[in-house]
Amino acid sequence: MGNKSVNLKALAAHLGLTVSTVSRALNDYPDISLATRKRVKAAADQLGYRPNQNARRLSIGTPETVCYLMPRQIGPNAQPFVAQLLAGLGEALNERNWDLLVSQADASVGDLASIERLVKSGRIAGLVISRPLKNDPRVKLMQSLGCPFVVHGRTEKSDDYAWYDVDGEDAFVTAVNHLARLGHRRIGFIGAPLQYQFAQERLDGYVRGLSHNGLDQDPALIQIAEFTDEGGTAAAGLLMDLDEPPTAIVCVTDMMALGTLEALHSRQIMPGRDVSVIGYDGLHFGKHAHPPLTTMAQPQAHAGRRLGDILLSIIDGAAPTKFQELQRANLVQRSTDGPVTTSTSTGQTHVSEREESR
Amino acid sequence: MGNKSVNLKALAAHLGLTVSTVSRALNDYPDISLATRKRVKAAADQLGYRPNQNARRLSIGTPETVCYLMPRQIGPNAQPFVAQLLAGLGEALNERNWDLLVSQADASVGDLASIERLVKSGRIAGLVISRPLKNDPRVKLMQSLGCPFVVHGRTEKSDDYAWYDVDGEDAFVTAVNHLARLGHRRIGFIGAPLQYQFAQERLDGYVRGLSHNGLDQDPALIQIAEFTDEGGTAAAGLLMDLDEPPTAIVCVTDMMALGTLEALHSRQIMPGRDVSVIGYDGLHFGKHAHPPLTTMAQPQAHAGRRLGDILLSIIDGAAPTKFQELQRANLVQRSTDGPVTTSTSTGQTHVSEREESR
DNA sequence: TTGCCTTCCGAAATCGGTTTCGGTTAGCGT
DNA sequence: ACGCTAACCGAAACCGATTTCGGAAGGCAA
């Protein structure tokens, strides 16, 4: 406590050298004799010397820090993958001893102002933006600020910056194909507000999937709601109360799919037998739903790691447009998908269970 | 892009003043005339000037940053509350314009070394430690470093530092009481490795609950496993394979409880009717389990916020021991608890469902 | 007019590093 | 003995802010 942590000056005094010599010794300058370098390093970690990062970064001119912008909606159903993402990011940054800052926009200041302050104050060398809107002002801001960034997801027009995304459109085509193959012809869609690009993509996939299978599109079968379980329940309720309810439902989120299951149960409808449900995300929790939720799983184990590597590459000078990575989601069949049943016969529940790919 | 962000010198030149005057004007020193102050501020935000934080912090001598230490185990079943916690922390820090760093120990360096480097390099003014071990070397390290910190949870001996925790022992007494009141006399316990203090506390609560209800303690009814759903499944399997299996099971984690439900289902045992199960955490997801999981819910909506406020207070000079806050968990009855059934009669499923407190 | 006290601002030190530039010393060849 | 080149280290500028100290200008009383 009493001993202020040793700094360069103290270390230099201890060694009978000047700060400049010590600094260069520690940084392996070739014009310092190997003997001195060794001596200095030994003394350094004997005294527990750690260079002050604020001073160092001020001097070398880079903050050696990147920032992850937390998604806004953090409620009781917080996104579990935030932790995974941060872990991956941290891993990439650790290799360089860079720091990871997380920031949520100060409510009193606003998103854009927060970001602008962050980069102009020289605190960060790069930024990770997640869950962008169709036309997200944050990417334009970052571009005009000339600050490296990478987006987790995409915007509507995504040709001139770096992003890492999972192909939601393709995933929904796959889901609809799967359901069509099982005989379903009335397939409902439960979506999120279309200001989010991911919501639009998945809707596009749904539509494309329908036409690809020669099914016609009924506007009544498309329900938009907040992407929470309650939102899913409400939307599913509307769908099932139609005169001609769907025999299958695809949901843009596992959370909404869970809500959908809830709505079905409260109507004594058995998911996977009477009505099929497919979610999206591949949340581990889906395994424990009733019945276990079939879903389009994102391969997001390494998303954070990739985002980190991409961002660092851009900071190093690579062209952002070189990094536009589209991953594919894959169908994880659990038990909420099944063949269409013509009547409400008490058919056999579909129980095929495969484990998701780790 | 081309324009390097304006710094004090540039701003001063623009105004025809010196940097010292401009700096003091921006910081509302009284020895600068009000007129000049206004003029300077106007010019500052017209030019979009933001003080370089590295320089500023070096000068004022505090990093204005606190760090959250990520828990290690971040797998497919990542902790959803990490995001919530970070949100709360960020909120507290935003009020002062402080930064939030997240760090996971560099695998190649080790936990303690990472921490030591972090504080000695002057990057952080305080630290949040989560999920401590019984005898966690990190708290001793922080104490010897003289760096403010707060623990989310407690260690075995927790009298000389600041912490915020939920009373796991009390919670398990409550859970056992509840089950005993329902007539259960053989109650199993599925726990986590006892190196974690939370695991020990909850075991203590279980034991105390038993004796409080005059039940005797059978070592065979205590199973320890990793706190994942698979761990829960394995442990529950062992319990149910006993000659005299329990009629109720308490689990230290909702995740383990979900695994337990799995084990019961695979044995054609109906949770809540044949065997009661109570989890711990109050995860939102539990609502969608089959059947919905009864659990001891932590009031963790504001944990992050409180941790942040506590840490800031300590950094401001308050005595750490003033902050030792114990919250209570409360029973959220969903559908996996029910009265004991003497035989394997097909009794009525317990369906009381109350919603958790928001 | 002189002296003194405010009011306002500039010069310079400081935080703790990095990096450029220049100066000693030693070694070597001739 | 002389000159030249490496090898090694010190002095000082710099990064961009904050803060102490002191000085100039103006106002007021005597």
Side-chain angles (χ1 to χ4, degrees), chain B residues 68-84:
Chain B
Y68 173 73
L69 219 53
M70 290 258 280
R72 259 313 166 67
Q73 179 213 9
I74 302 285
N77 45 11
Q79 309 299 339
F81 54 80
V82 167
Q84 278 187 70

Side-chain angles (χ1 to χ4, degrees), chain A residues 132-136 154-159 161 194 197 200-201 204:
Chain A
L133 304 179
K134 252 185 203 174
N135 192 339
D136 203 302
R154 278 172 294 171
T155 58
E156 200 164 20
K157 183 181 149 303
S158 58
D159 55 315
Y161 60 86
L194 293 181
Q197 176 62 17
Q200 181 67 56
E201 281 169 20
D204 291 347

Side-chain angles (χ1 to χ4, degrees), chain B residues 7-8 23 29 49 52 59:
Chain B
N7 55 11
L8 245 202
S23 170
Y29 275 53
Y49 166 75
N52 181 303
S59 186

Side-chain angles (χ1 to χ4, degrees), chain B residues 187-201:
Chain B
I187 302 176
F189 175 87
I190 294 184
L194 294 181
Q195 51 181 332
Y196 292 101
Q197 174 63 15
F198 80 84
Q200 181 67 58
E201 282 168 21

Side-chain angles (χ1 to χ4, degrees), chain A residues 1 5-6 47-55 57-58 62-63 65 70 74-92 94-95 97-107 113 116-123 143-146 229-230 233 255 258-259 262 283-290 292 356 358, chain B residues 1 3 5-6 47-55 57-58 62-63 65 70 74-92 94-95 97-107 113 116-123 143-146 229-230 233 255 258-259 262 283-290 292 358:
Chain A
M1 275 225 52
S5 67
V6 305
L47 296 194
Y49 166 76
R50 302 290 173 193
N52 180 304
Q53 290 304 95
N54 278 321
R57 287 165 179 175
L58 168 60
T62 156
T65 300
M70 289 258 279
I74 303 285
N77 46 10
Q79 309 298 339
F81 55 79
V82 167
Q84 278 187 69
L85 210 100
L86 289 177
L89 272 175
E91 192 186 307
N94 268 343
E95 290 181 1
N97 287 312
W98 280 39
D99 286 335
L100 174 56
L101 209 62
V102 320
S103 155
Q104 46 181 343
D106 189 337
E116 198 213 313
R117 210 158 59 183
L118 216 48
V119 333
K120 282 206 174 173
S121 67
R123 266 175 295 186
Q143 287 177 322
S144 76
L145 287 173
D229 48 357
E230 286 90 353
T233 304
M255 211 56 189
L258 293 179
E262 219 61 55
L283 290 193
H284 190 67
F285 265 114
K287 259 178 65 178
H288 303 288
H290 174 44
E356 61 235 61
R358 220 199 147 266
Chain B
M1 279 221 45
N3 52 346
S5 68
V6 306
L47 297 194
Y49 166 75
R50 303 289 173 194
N52 181 303
Q53 291 304 97
N54 278 321
R57 287 166 179 172
L58 168 61
T62 156
T65 299
M70 290 258 280
I74 302 285
N77 45 11
Q79 309 299 339
F81 54 80
V82 167
Q84 278 187 70
L85 210 101
L86 289 177
L89 272 175
E91 191 186 306
N94 267 342
E95 290 180 0
N97 286 313
W98 279 39
D99 285 334
L100 174 56
L101 210 60
V102 321
S103 156
Q104 45 180 347
D106 190 335
E116 199 213 311
R117 208 157 63 181
L118 216 48
V119 332
K120 282 205 173 171
S121 68
R123 266 176 295 187
Q143 288 176 323
S144 76
L145 287 173
D229 49 357
E230 285 90 354
T233 304
M255 210 57 188
L258 293 179
E262 220 61 54
L283 289 193
H284 190 67
F285 266 114
K287 258 179 65 177
H288 303 287
H290 174 45
R358 217 197 152 271

Side-chain angles (χ1 to χ4, degrees), chain B residues 132-172:
Chain B
L133 304 179
K134 253 185 203 174
N135 191 341
D136 203 303
R138 295 174 297 179
V139 333
K140 278 182 303 234
L141 174 61
M142 291 303 288
Q143 288 176 323
S144 76
L145 287 173
C147 178
F149 69 101
V150 59
V151 179
H152 189 200
R154 278 172 294 172
T155 59
E156 199 164 22
K157 182 179 151 302
S158 59
D159 54 314
D160 58 349
Y161 60 87
W163 46 262
Y164 174 101
D165 198 5
V166 177
D167 194 337
E169 182 173 346
D170 174 80
F172 272 72

